[in-house]
Amino acid sequence: MLKEFKISTTKKQEIIDITEKVKQIIKNSGVEKGLCFVYVPHATAAIIVNENYDSSVCKDILAQLEKLIPSKGNYEHDKMDDNAHAHIKASLIGPSETLIIEENELILGTWQGIALVEFDGPRNRRVIVKIKN
Ligand code: ZN
């Protein structure tokens, strides 16, 4: 089954927890065992699976990516669209994650969650969830 939901981001760069939304889709699907593919069809956003408990982790991830790939730089793409850094960051992190479903639940570590990473907000983002049993 294929489901989709929207996230409106509010900042230039931010990490938004989407774990509960994905869990709800799995619950409603009734799928007991299978795979859950979470994907953003965007070139300047990404999906991560990481700690969602302490917000300092998200701050550190964004701050260190900013050090590696500064928002302002001598980028070719900035001549036509001022967001080259966002494309590079998004391509490094990747647009998707695949998770395992067992007993109609996602297998996630105690501190793990699924999050959308915005690199060129604020924008309206689509999140696509494919569940396969
Ligand atoms: Zn661009």
Side-chain angles (χ1 to χ4, degrees):
M1 89 186 289
L2 191 69
K3 287 280 175 189
E4 180 174 330
F5 60 89
K6 289 185 165 55
I7 296 282
S8 295
T9 63
T10 59
K11 296 176 186 163
K12 193 77 188 161
Q13 300 189 65
E14 65 181 315
I15 297 179
I16 297 174
D17 193 333
I18 58 170
T19 311
E20 288 311 313
K21 287 184 186 293
V22 177
K23 280 184 174 176
Q24 194 59 51
I25 289 171
I26 289 164
K27 198 174 171 192
N28 293 344
S29 77
V31 170
E32 288 294 318
K33 293 170 185 286
L35 292 175
C36 172
F37 184 71
V38 183
Y39 176 75
V40 277
H42 301 289
T44 54
I47 296 289
I48 57 169
V49 172
N50 211 283
E51 177 161 340
N52 63 355
Y53 181 74
D54 189 331
S55 63
S56 63
V57 174
C58 293
K59 285 180 189 155
D60 286 339
I61 290 170
L62 290 176
Q64 293 306 310
L65 282 170
E66 186 61 29
K67 272 191 196 171
L68 280 172
I69 306 135
S71 291
K72 293 295 165 200
N74 187 22
Y75 302 114
E76 279 296 315
H77 183 65
D78 283 357
K79 292 170 190 168
M80 59 165 288
D81 189 15
D82 196 24
N83 63 0
H85 75 98
H87 289 285
I88 299 167
K89 287 167 182 155
S91 65
L92 277 179
I93 303 301
S96 66
E97 290 284 354
T98 306
L99 293 113
I100 301 164
I101 303 166
E102 278 293 328
E103 295 172 9
N104 193 233
E105 299 267 4
L106 280 179
I107 295 183
L108 281 170
T110 307
W111 310 113
Q112 275 182 318
I114 310 162
L116 177 142
V117 192
E118 174 62 79
F119 290 118
D120 192 34
R123 284 176 191 254
N124 293 317
R125 299 301 197 175
R126 294 165 63 201
V127 179
I128 295 171
V129 179
K130 176 78 182 176
I131 296 171
K132 188 89 180 84
N133 57 0

